């Protein structure tokens, strides 16, 4: 019997492929979970765009925190219960 058709070799290769597919699937799941867990900020309170900064040349300078920065700061200030 040739090395290619060796039953033990085919079995080992099959098991290796299964393990690799399982690891890849777990990796994808972790990535998706991480994306879902990222903070989402509601952009409904963006009514006063002009009041958040002032214009210098062509650039607008921000004087207030963005909603995302506010949410991150609030999360950092929370005490674990």
């Amino acid at each position: 019997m040739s090395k290619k058709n060796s039953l033990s070799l085919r079995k080992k290769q099959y098991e290796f492929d299964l393990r690799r597919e399982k690891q890849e699937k777990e990796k994808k799941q972790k990535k998706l979970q991480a994306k879902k867990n990222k903070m989402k900020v509601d952009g409904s309170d963006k009514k006063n765009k002009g009041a958040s900064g002032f214009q210098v040349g062509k650039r607008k300078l921000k004087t207030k925190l963005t909603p995302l920065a506010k949410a991150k700061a609030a999360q950092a200030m929370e005490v674990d219960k």
Side-chain angles (χ1 to χ4, degrees):
M1 196 180 260
S2 69
K3 284 186 177 181
K4 275 187 182 177
N5 284 334
S6 169
L7 184 62
S8 62
L9 186 65
R10 284 189 291 161
K11 187 176 179 183
K12 285 179 188 176
Q13 186 65 39
Y14 175 72
E15 289 173 358
F16 175 78
D17 289 340
L18 281 180
R19 270 188 273 129
R20 184 173 50 191
E21 286 176 10
K22 188 175 181 183
Q23 286 173 349
E24 287 175 1
K25 196 179 274 188
E26 287 175 2
K27 206 178 210 182
K28 282 184 182 181
Q29 247 182 345
K30 285 181 182 179
K31 270 189 176 181
L32 287 173
Q33 192 66 30
K35 282 184 180 181
K36 285 181 184 178
N37 288 340
K38 277 189 178 178
M39 208 177 325
K40 293 181 181 178
V41 178
D42 185 17
S44 64
D45 52 3
K46 292 184 179 181
K47 293 176 185 171
N48 300 338
K49 280 194 172 181
S52 67
F54 53 93
Q55 193 93 13
V56 176
K58 291 184 179 180
R59 293 188 184 156
K60 185 174 184 180
L61 300 178
K62 292 184 178 181
T63 56
K64 294 184 180 180
L65 289 176
T66 63
L68 179 63
K70 283 182 188 178
K72 283 185 179 180
Q75 188 180 33
M77 298 298 277
E78 287 180 9
V79 179
D80 294 334
K81 295 180 182 178

